[in-house]
Amino acid sequence: MLILSKMWEIMGKNDLKEGDKAPLFKLDSYNAGTVDLAELIGEQKIVLIFSRYFGCPICLVDLNELMNRKSEIEDKGAKILYITQSGEKVASEYIKKENIDFPVIPSSKDELYADYGLGLMTAGAMTKIRGKLKEAKNLGIEHGEYEGWEKQGPGQFVIDAEGVLIHAQKGWLDIDSILAVL
């Protein structure tokens, strides 16, 4: 039983898929006050980006792509929410440095990441690490502070106006798959 319990923790307690109701949350963000998902649902589609932490070079490559392409998401009427395991000090530095204007929400692996079924990094994400690290090096991105769980799996979700997941993907950021459902 202990082994099953540990596997539950590692893999994420929920295995969410398209068609499932999105788990609701009400949390303080670092830069946009309290974010209540229940209040946002119905206004527009919501894009949830689960990164790991701002010191992660691969996460910064993905953040760079998100910042370069966020207007494509917003032009389709969607709101971006960015979840990170970074603490307030480091997150605030990146919010200012990158001029991030969408909510950046803190969470531990046992909170939103678990609610959305994101546990241990998937095999698919692991196979992309070498290429993503090479991309980070080419962009001059170095590893920053270690925060959160190093083996945390990233992911992305899109929630429709009824609160239903229309996109659920574990792994590194894939803007094109987000845009395909918006």
Side-chain angles (χ1 to χ4, degrees), residues 50-153:
F50 284 83
S51 186
R52 294 181 334 142
Y53 56 92
F54 285 108
C56 163
I58 297 172
C59 302
L60 291 177
V61 166
D62 283 355
L63 178 63
N64 186 47
E65 181 182 8
L66 178 61
M67 295 304 291
N68 287 334
R69 298 187 65 192
K70 76 180 184 87
S71 64
E72 294 176 61
I73 294 170
E74 294 168 343
D75 287 350
K76 291 190 174 255
K79 181 172 184 68
I80 299 169
L81 303 179
Y82 190 88
I83 293 78
T84 181
Q85 292 182 349
S86 284
E88 187 171 10
K89 178 183 174 284
V90 172
S92 294
E93 290 171 11
Y94 280 94
I95 289 166
K96 184 176 180 181
K97 177 183 172 187
E98 301 296 334
N99 199 25
I100 298 172
D101 61 354
F102 45 80
V104 176
I105 303 165
S107 179
S108 75
K109 72 181 180 80
D110 299 320
E111 298 169 330
L112 285 183
Y113 290 86
D115 291 346
Y116 278 81
L118 298 171
L120 184 66
M121 191 180 301
T122 64
M126 297 277 277
T127 63
K128 295 180 180 177
I129 289 177
R130 179 172 285 185
K132 288 238 179 219
L133 285 174
K134 185 176 182 178
E135 186 178 350
K137 183 178 181 181
N138 290 341
L139 292 171
I141 298 172
E142 296 183 9
H143 207 298
E145 284 188 48
Y146 285 89
E147 300 180 286
W149 185 37
E150 192 63 19
K151 296 177 183 176
Q152 177 65 59

Side-chain angles (χ1 to χ4, degrees), residues 7-15 113-114 117-120 170:
M7 286 301 293
W8 186 267
E9 173 188 332
I10 289 172
M11 299 311 292
K13 67 183 178 184
N14 290 329
D15 188 19
Y113 290 86
L118 298 171
L120 184 66
K170 295 178 181 179

Side-chain angles (χ1 to χ4, degrees), residues 43-56:
E43 293 179 17
Q44 71 260 315
K45 291 178 183 171
I46 309 294
V47 176
L48 296 177
I49 307 289
F50 284 83
S51 186
R52 294 181 334 142
Y53 56 92
F54 285 108
C56 163

